[in-house]
Amino acid sequence: MDWRTKLLDPTPQARNDFTALTTPIYRGSTVVFDSQEKVSDDWQHAENGYSYGLYGTPTTLELAARIATIEGAHRTFIVPGGQAAIALVYMAFCKAGSHALVPFSAYGPNREMAEGMLRDFGVEVEAYDPLIGGDISTLIRDNTTLIWCESPGSVTMEVQDVPAIVAAAHSRDVSVALDNTYAAGVLFDAFAHDVDVSIQALTKYVGGHSDLLLGSVSSRDARAYNALGSVYRQLGLAVSPDDCSLALRGLQTLAVRLEHLEKSTLKVAHWLADHKSIAKVFHPALPTCPGHAQWQRDFKGSASVFSFLFNDDATPQQVVNFLNALAIFKIGLSWGGVTSLAVVYPDLDRPGQDFGGRLVRLNIGLESPDDLIADLEQAIAG
Ligand SMILES: *Cc1c(COP(=O)(O)O)cnc(C)c1O
């Protein structure tokens, strides 16, 4: 062979009996087949073998299989982020003429997609009160195909009665999708509660270090899996094996991070609840949180994100000044990493509730909770 040809020969020469504790990072678009007869273009890599890197490499499939095992799912798809996971679910369970239900408290970009792209595609998405429980049956129509739950809700933290919603939905043959990001797929057992699809922004707790974007979409059964798979293939939701490798590493420390974050977060939340300048704390483990009883009944623990409301006499500018005065807390979106974050959402769409720019969301990180409390104290004092 000419040296130019040798440069391109992919045949492995190193011995391959290297057994490490880590999952190898497989990069690859093209998959080489043994013969023309074996060429396939199948997205079902887990069942039928590899055909093309777009539908998963061994690194992707390893992460998918671990998430499926941890969540007790039939199978899991790994997608580029939590928002891509939400898009995949909508596309798989809605078509022109469908009606879907989404809680007011859902992640903002979920509702933006509902009111933007989906409306343009002829899907009607109706927002509902996250605390509706079994009365959701009054909103189900003949063309309802999907009900979203997100529990607790984004920013306002309402814990939903997921079992009641699932029972009402299934009695009318409607599928239920849950955004289970808060619970990291473990603090709430989605499939023991019979949801059809459970998604996570792996970006948050599984990644855990604010350095990657990934999502997972887990299915309860073959029916949900196949509905998702055909759309997954058409949308081309490929992910990087490097990001999957980081997520696999994140899983190894998820339990200790969650346990530690729960304790620190509760300490900060209780301190805020006792503060005279604070009207209310929205933390699922505190009785002031809407849906607290559902949290007690259904959850195995609480996580690192919660919100609190300044007293009525605080002006929006004072709240902004408070945020700017924080030294250890950083101002930023997202959560689930090692760094404490604070942010205000000035225009939340929550019918019948006006927080007047006084609702602040915190993510507690791995700093000392006493330092975090001191930081809040000096920023509240102004
Ligand atoms: C962050 C988040 C998402 C989106 O995740 P990305 O990976 O940032 O796209 C979806 N749902 C919830 C509840 C989130 O907090």
Side-chain angles (χ1 to χ4, degrees):
M1 266 190 237
D2 185 85
W3 64 273
R4 293 174 188 81
T5 310
K6 283 184 192 160
L7 288 175
L8 304 176
D9 182 7
T11 314
Q13 296 187 48
R15 45 191 302 170
N16 64 3
D17 53 350
F18 181 79
T19 310
L21 291 167
T22 47
T23 303
I25 296 174
Y26 289 91
R27 300 190 150 277
S29 50
T30 295
V31 168
V32 179
F33 301 95
D34 290 343
S35 64
Q36 176 59 42
E37 288 77 11
K38 295 219 170 117
V39 174
S40 85
D41 189 17
D42 188 337
W43 60 267
Q44 289 182 289
H45 279 193
E47 298 83 352
N48 301 339
Y50 295 100
S51 68
Y52 188 46
L54 184 62
Y55 315 130
T57 63
T59 319
T60 326
L61 259 56
E62 188 61 37
L63 177 60
R66 300 258 185 114
I67 300 277
T69 305
I70 293 162
E71 294 190 3
H74 171 67
R75 283 200 194 286
T76 296
F77 293 97
I78 305 297
V79 297
Q83 183 64 7
I86 290 167
L88 172 57
V89 171
Y90 272 125
M91 300 288 156
F93 288 90
C94 301
K95 58 184 191 326
S98 298
H99 171 251
L101 289 159
V102 65
F104 291 136
S105 52
Y107 178 64
N110 178 327
R111 293 199 53 200
E112 271 174 51
M113 182 178 294
E115 283 150 29
M117 227 171 82
L118 286 161
R119 181 160 295 166
D120 292 346
F121 287 166
V123 176
E124 186 187 350
V125 187
E126 182 182 348
Y128 72 88
D129 179 349
L131 300 172
I132 194 167
D135 287 344
I136 192 113
S137 56
T138 61
L139 301 180
I140 296 175
R141 307 180 191 166
D142 290 342
N143 61 339
T144 306
T145 55
L146 175 68
I147 299 176
W148 270 107
C149 292
E150 183 183 319
S151 179
S154 283
V155 192
T156 40
M157 307 303 290
E158 299 89 341
V159 185
Q160 297 199 264
D161 192 344
V162 173
I165 292 172
V166 168
H170 285 179
S171 76
R172 301 278 299 273
D173 203 25
V174 175
S175 297
V176 178
L178 170 70
D179 187 330
N180 206 20
T181 302
Y182 174 90
V186 291
L187 301 178
F188 177 83
D189 190 340
F191 296 110
H193 290 93
D194 279 343
V195 309
D196 298 279
V197 178
S198 179
I199 72 125
Q200 270 195 77
L202 302 177
T203 308
K204 308 287 167 55
Y205 290 119
V206 172
H209 296 77
S210 312
D211 56 2
L212 67 93
L213 289 147
L214 275 181
S216 62
V217 182
S218 300
S219 50
R220 178 164 73 116
D221 53 21
R223 180 177 149 189
Y225 174 65
N226 286 317
L228 292 161
S230 114
V231 178
Y232 166 78
R233 173 196 163 85
Q234 292 175 69
L235 289 179
L237 297 169
V239 297
S240 153
D242 300 86
D243 291 341
C244 292
S245 163
L246 285 174
L248 283 161
R249 186 167 70 174
L251 284 175
Q252 296 173 330
T253 57
L254 181 64
V256 284
R257 284 185 286 112
L258 283 177
E259 207 171 304
H260 189 92
L261 291 171
E262 174 171 38
K263 282 199 198 107
S264 296
T265 304
L266 281 168
K267 188 167 187 184
V268 177
H270 282 294
W271 181 85
L272 281 165
D274 289 339
H275 198 288
K276 62 179 186 337
S277 303
I278 306 307
K280 198 170 168 187
V281 174
F282 299 81
H283 181 299
L286 270 60
T288 43
C289 191
H292 169 67
Q294 275 73 256
W295 176 82
Q296 274 186 312
R297 185 189 65 192
D298 297 339
F299 279 68
K300 296 190 192 83
S302 58
S304 68
V305 66
F306 71 100
S307 301
F308 68 92
L309 186 66
F310 277 98
N311 287 339
D312 282 357
D313 57 3
T315 65
Q317 187 56 49
Q318 280 172 322
V319 176
V320 170
N321 294 347
F322 155 80
L323 286 160
N324 291 338
L326 290 165
I328 299 175
F329 281 88
K330 306 298 175 209
I331 299 171
L333 302 172
S334 200
W335 41 276
V338 301
T339 310
S340 291
L341 300 171
V343 74
V344 68
Y345 286 86
D347 18 69
L348 285 168
D349 172 23
R350 302 286 186 275
Q353 286 175 287
D354 180 10
F355 297 105
R358 292 178 288 113
L359 189 69
V360 174
R361 188 183 72 185
L362 298 182
N363 172 64
I364 303 302
L366 295 178
E367 306 92 341
S368 154
D370 295 330
D371 287 344
L372 295 173
I373 287 170
D375 194 25
L376 293 168
E377 189 158 35
Q378 63 79 24
I380 294 173

